[in-house]
């Protein structure tokens, strides 16, 4: 099965939205849960995320948006995970909804994806949620010494009110979300978590508005 791939170097993480406790690479394409590059953080008053521990993409969405984002998640666990420890998250919603807390999963509005420890499987799993659709996929062990990487693609079609999640390394469809309401000025947020237990980076490979 073939999936649309769109490359656009103009899409990147917006450093002015970066949470104070997170870091990104100098080219603004890699987000990390801890300092890695020694590059200075840039903050503009009132623009950086206060509660959501990540950053926003530099674009906003709307009711006519058709776009694709491809990103790679890499993590290494050095202390056993417990409870439902978060690793990373991707969310689409209004900025004010996203920045209510460190995570926006299970909000009544928007779309979200999490990679975290599963309290049912006792593994690291991927969860994605919107409206009545819920996806659960096992990824790795949750113990110290575990390393894992996965490449994911997110195809957003606001005109058809659909979001398709694909695993690009396996060229496979993970799930389709229907009746998704993409509102004007919705944003795409990426969160990274738990620096005391793991190292995680999210690398933005590609993304473009294709209107």
């Amino acid at each position: 099965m073939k999936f649309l791939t769109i490359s656009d170097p103009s899409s990147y993480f917006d450093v002015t939205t970066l949470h104070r406790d997170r870091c990104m690479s100098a080219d603004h394409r890699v987000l990390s849960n801890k300092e890695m590059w020694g590059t200075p953080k840039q903050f503009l008053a009132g623009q950086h995320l206060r509660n959501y521990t990540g950053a926003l993409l530099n674009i906003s969405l709307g009711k006519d948006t058709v776009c694709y984002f491809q990103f790679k998640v890499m993590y290494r666990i050095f202390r056993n995970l417990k409870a439902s420890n978060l690793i990373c998250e991707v969310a689409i919603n209004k900025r004010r909804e996203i920045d209510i807390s460190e995570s926006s999963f299970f909000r009544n509005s928007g779309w979200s994806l999490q990679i975290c420890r599963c309290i049912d499987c006792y593994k690291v799993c991927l969860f994605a949620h919107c409206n009545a659709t819920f996806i659960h996929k096992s990824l790795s062990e949750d113990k110290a010494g575990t390393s894992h990487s996965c490449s994911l693609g997110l195809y957003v079609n606001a005109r058809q009110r659909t979001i398709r999640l694909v695993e690009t390394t396996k060229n496979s469809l993970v799930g389709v979300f229907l009746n998704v309401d993409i509102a004007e000025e919705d944003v795409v947020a990426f969160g990274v978590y738990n620096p005391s237990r793991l190292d995680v980076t999210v690398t933005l490979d590609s993304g473009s508005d294709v209107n």
Side-chain angles (χ1 to χ4, degrees):
M1 184 180 295
K2 294 286 187 178
F3 293 106
L4 179 65
T5 301
I6 306 156
S7 179
D8 181 2
S10 66
S11 292
Y12 51 84
F13 295 118
D14 183 354
V15 70
T16 68
T17 67
L18 180 66
H19 188 276
R20 293 182 184 277
D21 295 331
R22 297 300 179 257
C23 189
M24 71 173 61
S25 59
D27 64 1
H28 299 179
R29 301 189 73 80
V30 185
L31 180 67
S32 173
N33 67 340
K34 58 181 62 176
E35 187 72 37
M36 294 181 66
W37 302 279
T39 54
K41 296 180 181 179
Q42 304 172 33
F43 292 106
L44 296 180
Q47 291 192 11
H48 61 84
L49 294 167
R50 298 179 182 278
N51 299 305
Y52 192 84
T53 51
L56 306 181
L57 288 190
N58 67 314
I59 63 171
S60 58
L61 309 180
K63 59 184 177 63
D64 291 321
T65 297
V66 180
C67 60
Y68 177 83
F69 305 102
Q70 185 170 298
F71 53 95
K72 184 176 184 179
V73 178
M74 299 179 64
Y75 60 85
R76 180 183 67 87
I77 301 169
F78 54 81
R79 289 180 61 194
N80 289 351
L81 301 185
K82 60 181 182 178
S84 53
N85 282 158
L86 281 168
I87 295 177
C88 71
E89 179 180 85
V90 186
I92 297 175
N93 209 330
K94 288 281 187 290
R95 175 177 172 144
R96 63 178 179 272
E97 293 293 326
I98 286 173
D99 204 22
I100 289 174
S101 62
E102 70 169 3
S103 166
S104 69
F105 205 65
F106 282 131
R107 293 277 162 77
N108 291 328
S109 60
W111 177 94
S112 56
L113 172 153
Q114 278 191 348
I115 294 177
C116 65
R117 181 180 184 272
C118 177
I119 59 175
D120 295 320
C121 300
Y122 303 108
K123 293 181 180 293
V124 173
C125 296
L126 179 152
F127 298 89
H129 165 76
C130 184
N131 297 327
T133 303
F134 184 83
I135 290 172
H136 175 196
K137 176 181 174 66
S138 178
L139 296 180
S140 77
E141 299 298 320
D142 64 348
K143 301 295 189 291
T146 299
S147 295
H148 184 77
S149 66
C150 59
S151 293
L152 300 170
L154 196 62
Y155 181 54
V156 180
N157 190 327
R159 298 170 185 169
Q160 297 181 358
R161 301 177 65 205
T162 60
I163 292 179
R164 288 178 169 83
L165 175 64
V166 299
E167 190 170 359
T168 60
T169 48
K170 297 181 179 179
N171 203 29
S172 62
L173 181 66
V174 178
V176 179
F177 300 83
L178 305 176
N179 301 316
V180 182
D181 290 323
I182 305 294
E184 292 299 322
E185 299 185 358
D186 274 6
V187 297
V188 183
F190 288 76
V192 285
Y193 305 93
N194 283 300
S196 65
R197 293 185 176 273
L198 56 95
D199 299 322
V200 57
T201 58
V202 178
T203 302
L204 181 64
D205 293 328
S206 63
S208 178
D209 191 326
V210 294
N211 287 336

